[in-house]
Amino acid sequence: MPTASSLTIVAARPRASLALGGLALLATGVVGADDAYPLTDRPYDFSLYLSRAETDFDYAGQAVPTRISRIGIHWRERYAPFWIGLMGGYSYVTQTQHAPTAGLELGGYHAGVSVETELYQTPTLGLSFDAGWLYERVDEHSNGDEIELAWRIPWARLLATWHVAPRVDVYGGVRYDAIDGEERLHGATRSTRDIERDADTAGIFGLELRLDENGYVRLEGYDSATRSVTLSFGRRY
């Protein structure tokens, strides 16, 4: 099934946290009724992903176009009926129409966690739910000053998958996320500004090609307040 390595500011906004919590409880309730799932069956899934996202960071009402490029790894382990995952890697950010970061490419890292479960599965159709949390931090120096951006993204997705051929799956669904964080300037000029992006729901479409019994390539995109494309190369062990 598709994973969330997509493919990213202090605590998440209360509305977003409540909504994500409700979706997680719903998913747990659907699959948690069966106590027969073994806890010792733990295959692994390892993937390398490259993604590019475009969104607007809101600085007290000023929308700043922001591009985020990521390269990272996503490691998942099976604790049936869940996949529990860790992700992390490098992040690069550019912004326009914002004086402190004009002409700069800020670099840093991202790290997060994910959980996924299958809600329904047949030989041709599947329904899954996944959710997670991502932290991201980038910085750069300019004229003796340092600018730092840091944010958090809570997210949740509901996906339907169609097995169109023995080694080909297509999937689609919805993604819910929000952004909340801060921009800090250090040096001769010192300041802290809140940055955010309101909770938003996006449509998702993806394609997965299985190279053999365990290897796969996945291409995924979604479009709304955040527009993103992610390419992943993975293998299950």
Side-chain angles (χ1 to χ4, degrees):
M1 298 294 293
T3 66
S5 47
S6 67
L7 216 174
T8 102
I9 279 186
V10 173
R13 302 184 67 183
R15 287 183 300 172
S17 299
L18 289 173
L20 291 172
L23 287 172
L25 288 173
L26 174 61
T28 303
V30 170
V31 300
D34 188 350
D35 295 329
Y37 287 111
L39 296 179
T40 56
D41 180 19
R42 302 198 306 251
Y44 307 107
D45 183 298
F46 177 84
S47 62
L48 168 70
Y49 58 86
L50 304 94
S51 73
R52 172 163 292 186
E54 296 181 352
T55 190
D56 289 340
F57 282 177
D58 188 350
Y59 290 76
Q62 177 194 1
V64 175
T66 302
R67 174 177 291 177
I68 307 169
S69 299
R70 303 181 181 99
I71 179 171
I73 59 174
H74 191 188
W75 173 266
R76 300 190 306 145
E77 187 168 351
R78 177 74 169 173
Y79 291 85
F82 299 105
W83 285 93
I84 308 298
L86 298 174
M87 66 186 74
Y90 296 101
S91 299
Y92 304 94
V93 171
T94 57
Q95 294 183 316
T96 58
Q97 303 174 25
H98 187 53
T101 58
L104 300 178
E105 181 180 57
L106 288 73
Y109 66 90
H110 62 273
V113 296
S114 67
V115 60
E116 177 187 351
T117 188
E118 293 180 353
L119 304 178
Y120 177 76
Q121 186 69 43
T122 72
T124 56
L125 296 173
L127 183 66
S128 65
F129 170 85
D130 58 10
W133 179 90
L134 187 73
Y135 175 78
E136 203 150 14
R137 181 190 181 277
V138 295
D139 62 13
E140 185 57 276
H141 292 80
S142 178
N143 299 322
D145 295 334
E146 179 189 14
I147 180 167
E148 171 193 331
L149 306 180
W151 63 95
R152 294 185 176 104
I153 304 177
W155 53 264
R157 309 190 311 172
L158 184 65
L159 299 177
T161 301
W162 179 27
H163 309 295
V164 298
R167 292 191 176 183
V168 180
D169 291 350
V170 295
Y171 61 92
V174 292
R175 173 186 169 103
Y176 175 91
D177 63 18
I179 296 175
D180 189 24
E182 293 180 338
E183 173 192 273
R184 296 185 179 92
L185 298 179
H186 307 279
T189 301
R190 302 182 64 88
S191 68
T192 300
R193 300 178 65 183
D194 291 335
I195 52 180
E196 63 181 14
R197 202 217 67 219
D198 288 342
D200 180 71
T201 301
I204 304 172
F205 179 79
L207 172 68
E208 179 176 298
L209 304 177
R210 285 180 294 282
L211 306 178
D212 52 33
E213 290 185 358
N214 298 307
Y216 61 87
V217 176
R218 180 181 301 129
L219 181 64
E220 177 183 297
Y222 61 88
D223 185 15
S224 188
T226 297
R227 301 160 298 282
S228 174
V229 175
T230 301
L231 178 64
S232 303
F233 304 89
R235 176 165 288 274
R236 297 186 176 94
Y237 299 91

